[in-house]
Every structure is written in structure tokens, then in C-alpha cells.
Amino acid sequence: MTSTDRNNELAIRPPRQERTRQAWTRILEAGAAIIEEGGYEAFTIAAVCERAKVAPRAIYDRTTSKEALFLAVYEHGLSRIRVDEEVFDREERWAGLDAHTLVGEAVAEFAGIFERHAAFLKPMVLLSGAHAEVYRRARAYTAQMADRFTAVVLGAAHEITHPDPETAVRLCFSTVFASLMMRVGYGPDFAAPAADTDVFVRHLTQTAVRYLFGGE
């Protein structure tokens, strides 16, 4: 199968009428809820129809593939996370912060996003290693997150002790991201003694600050 054929197979025919748009939104929300509660294994067209209170035709009018429906639900879940990430685009949120506070607030914002969306992110983390398309999309999405984090933290570039501040910030993001994903995907005690969220974020912030600026 060519990449074009694959893309066509995964395509969704968008609803055009208000009634069908509302039904499609219910389908996406139902699918996300099923994934949050039962993971990928629980995701079936029948389960989505039952939860969304729609007939199967409401789905088959949009696609004939369970995989395409799942990926549409995946993108719907990511769209909710992206709304929260818009905080990184608001200049007033970061204006006037000293370098250490700026990094701490950036780490805390990301940690808050991951915590609020943990129910959706956990099954995606567990699935991404075995699902090529989820992995591909997650990789592209992570690059966008890295760009947002980097743009904010480079506001403190003048105090970063590394000779290449942008590379340092991107490596810092990788550490923060990996820590958050491990915590969400495998639990707070997977690689270290369990800590509540506030303690975890404080330690993660200290790691980032010390790496970027040195010292305390």
C-alpha cells in the first residue's frame, strides 16, 4: 500500500450539517472517554456508538475504518491539550519574570497540562511504542511542544551558562518531557520513590534550573 492509499484509508469525511457536526463531536468525545477509561483495547466502533448514542451509520458515513476513527479521536484529544498549551504563546504570561522563575513557571505549566490530561495521555504513551502512526504523530506533536517551551525559556538566554543556549534548552525540554511522560504513563513510583505532584514538580524545576544556570 502506498502512502497515498494509506492516507486515503485514514481520511475522515467531515460532516457538513450542524446536526451531523454535533453527532460527530459526540462520537469523538465518546471515543476519548472510552480510551481514558479502558485504553486502546476497549476502543471499538460498537462501544463508541453505544456511548455516543448514535447508529453505526453516523460513523460509517465518515469512515469505514476503526483505525481512522481511532486516529480522529486521537487528534481530538490532542486538540484539547493544545488549547492548554496556548499559554506558552501569551507574552504577558512570561513578561517580567527573572530567569529562574521563568524556567520554573514553564516547567510547572507543562506539568499541569500533563496532569490535567493524564487520563488520555497514559494510554497513548503505552500505545505509541507499538503503533507506528501514533508514534509518528506523537513525534511531530512533541516537536511542536519543544518549540513552544524553547521559545519561552530562551527569554532567559542571557543567563544560560551553556555556550549554545538553544541546544541546552531543547535538551532541558527532553528531560522534562521524558520525566512527565514516564510519570503519566507508568506511575509516580516507576523510576523513583513516589512523590506528590508538588514535590515532583519542585525537583523537576531544580533539575532544569541547575542544568541551565548552574548552582542553586
Side-chain angles (χ1 to χ4, degrees):
M1 179 183 293
T2 67
S3 59
T4 299
D5 291 337
R6 177 64 171 163
N7 289 337
N8 289 338
E9 182 184 82
L10 298 178
I12 297 293
R13 294 181 287 276
R16 297 182 179 180
Q17 299 178 350
E18 179 62 25
R19 178 176 59 82
T20 53
R21 283 197 295 268
Q22 291 177 358
W24 184 241
T25 298
R26 291 203 310 275
I27 288 167
L28 296 177
E29 290 289 342
I34 289 168
I35 291 169
E36 289 174 357
E37 294 170 8
Y40 182 70
E41 296 77 11
F43 185 87
T44 65
I45 287 179
V48 173
C49 288
E50 181 178 359
R51 183 136 190 167
K53 295 182 170 51
V54 299
R57 181 175 178 179
I59 291 175
Y60 291 119
D61 281 347
R62 310 273 74 82
T63 181
T64 58
S65 164
K66 172 193 168 182
E67 184 74 354
L69 176 61
F70 168 73
L71 290 171
V73 171
Y74 173 75
E75 292 294 339
H76 179 70
L78 289 187
S79 71
R80 298 185 299 188
I81 299 172
R82 286 190 179 100
V83 170
D84 280 5
E85 286 182 10
E86 290 174 1
V87 67
F88 286 89
D89 301 328
R90 298 174 192 148
E91 293 183 5
E92 68 278 7
R93 170 68 179 85
W94 312 101
L97 298 179
D98 65 79
H100 289 209
T101 303
L102 178 70
V103 172
E105 291 292 309
V107 171
E109 287 286 2
F110 258 125
I113 291 168
F114 275 66
E115 184 176 16
R116 290 191 295 275
H117 298 278
F120 182 78
L121 287 171
K122 178 177 180 175
M124 296 302 106
V125 172
L126 299 177
L127 180 63
S128 60
H131 193 295
E133 184 62 19
V134 169
Y135 175 86
R136 185 187 71 80
R137 296 186 186 203
R139 190 169 184 266
Y141 172 58
T142 301
Q144 296 171 2
M145 291 168 48
D147 288 344
R148 276 177 152 161
F149 181 89
T150 300
V152 166
V153 174
L154 280 178
H158 60 289
E159 293 195 31
I160 293 175
T161 57
H162 295 262
D164 184 348
E166 181 171 350
T167 296
V169 172
R170 289 188 179 277
L171 288 172
C172 178
F173 170 82
S174 295
T175 298
V176 171
F177 177 81
S179 299
L180 291 170
M181 292 303 279
M182 185 175 294
R183 184 178 176 87
V184 165
Y186 298 101
D189 59 350
F190 181 75
D196 65 35
T197 299
D198 289 342
V199 172
F200 170 74
V201 173
R202 185 165 67 249
H203 283 295
L204 195 58
T205 297
Q206 289 173 351
T207 299
V209 165
R210 290 174 180 175
Y211 170 69
L212 292 173
F213 307 123
E216 294 297 326

